[in-house]
Amino acid sequence: MRSPLSLSLLILVSSASLLICIPSFAADPETNVTNEQVEEKKVDKHSKYDYLPQEEVIEITVGQQQSEILVKSWSGKKKLGAAILFATPGMGADGAGLNAYLRRELTRTGWATIAITPPKKVSTPNFATQPEEVAKAGEGINNQKANEATKQYSEEVWKDIREKQTQFVTQTMSQLDAIGAPYPGKRLLITSGQGAGLAISMISNNLLPKPDILVLINPYMKMKEENQALAKMLAQLEVPILDIQSEDGHRASYATVKDRAELSPQNAPYRYSQQRLALNLNNETAWNTTLKLIEGFAQRISKR
């Protein structure tokens, strides 16, 4: 018969063995994430572009976060330079549709492609007004007109959002000289949606270097005041510009399309050309038409 001391030692040894055998699922005290979840995140990170050849995916550090740049070399005899693709915020570097199509097909027309990851999409805030915050009659706190939309962000909050987006793009673009070094020649910047609006603003304020050719697809800005200023800023850019407006462009883009054309340098086809597509950009025929428009405009500018 075993003594009480022997039984206690046996229980302690058995417990220690069990602890050694059980996989560790302890949470990181900093992040409160288990080791298993960390491994899952690593897998997700590496699988994002695992359908692409490894040499096409370049990881960079922007601030304190990782970002991806997709590079595709020339595939034909022409070697004109590199086309930088900057999609609307929230999309990936290989976003489905026109962006992915241009990233692949432009390489056949003499342009290596460098697709950057745009900033994150700005989410629409949810409002919850407390009863005590509702203005009483006669207080005059809310001076907003009845036909005006409620402001989604205060000026201070929106300024902070815009500064972070601008900083992200600036830090990303600053790394492209080294990445694009194997592809000498002209630099073509192709950008769409809010990304196009942001590019116009940043080039106008000398926050981005001027490309040799700027291609805009349905450009607009989220805030009304910013959007209204877009056409004037665009007219003042001393860059050859191809301005493409599709049938399904955002209504904010359509709101400035007339001004963009009217304020542009007149009788200067090498400085500004506006082209309207009769098709929506979810149509593959429109993708090919857009490619031909870019190819033709770039060829015309390059021959000067």
Side-chain angles (χ1 to χ4, degrees), residues 12 112 132 201:
L12 284 172
E132 61 271 17
S201 176

Side-chain angles (χ1 to χ4, degrees), residues 241-253:
I241 297 166
L242 173 61
D243 182 359
I244 299 173
Q245 182 73 42
S246 71
E247 189 67 22
D248 60 341
H250 193 281
R251 65 177 182 271
S253 180

Side-chain angles (χ1 to χ4, degrees), residues 30-47:
E30 295 276 338
T31 61
N32 199 33
V33 176
T34 66
N35 294 338
E36 186 182 50
Q37 288 171 321
V38 168
E39 290 303 316
E40 285 178 359
K41 283 189 175 181
K42 287 180 181 178
V43 171
D44 289 342
K45 180 181 176 183
H46 291 296
S47 65

Side-chain angles (χ1 to χ4, degrees), residues 283-296:
N283 188 305
E284 290 190 33
T285 303
W287 302 350
N288 186 59
T289 302
T290 301
L291 176 66
K292 294 298 181 186
L293 288 173
I294 295 172
E295 184 182 6

Side-chain angles (χ1 to χ4, degrees), residues 171-241:
Q171 291 180 356
T172 299
M173 292 288 195
S174 68
Q175 302 183 55
L176 296 191
D177 283 345
I179 293 172
Y183 313 104
K186 292 187 179 296
R187 290 295 180 259
L188 176 61
L189 177 59
I190 303 173
T191 178
S192 59
Q194 291 186 64
L198 188 57
I200 294 169
S201 176
M202 290 182 68
I203 295 171
S204 178
N205 290 294
N206 298 313
L207 297 175
L208 275 185
K210 294 177 183 176
D212 294 298
I213 302 169
L214 176 61
V215 177
L216 308 169
I217 303 169
N218 300 329
Y220 75 96
M221 295 287 255
K222 186 176 178 69
M223 304 302 278
K224 185 178 179 181
E225 295 79 8
E226 289 180 319
N227 200 54
Q228 288 175 335
L230 214 56
K232 189 174 180 180
M233 282 194 294
L234 184 60
Q236 294 172 344
L237 295 184
E238 295 180 356
V239 179
I241 297 166

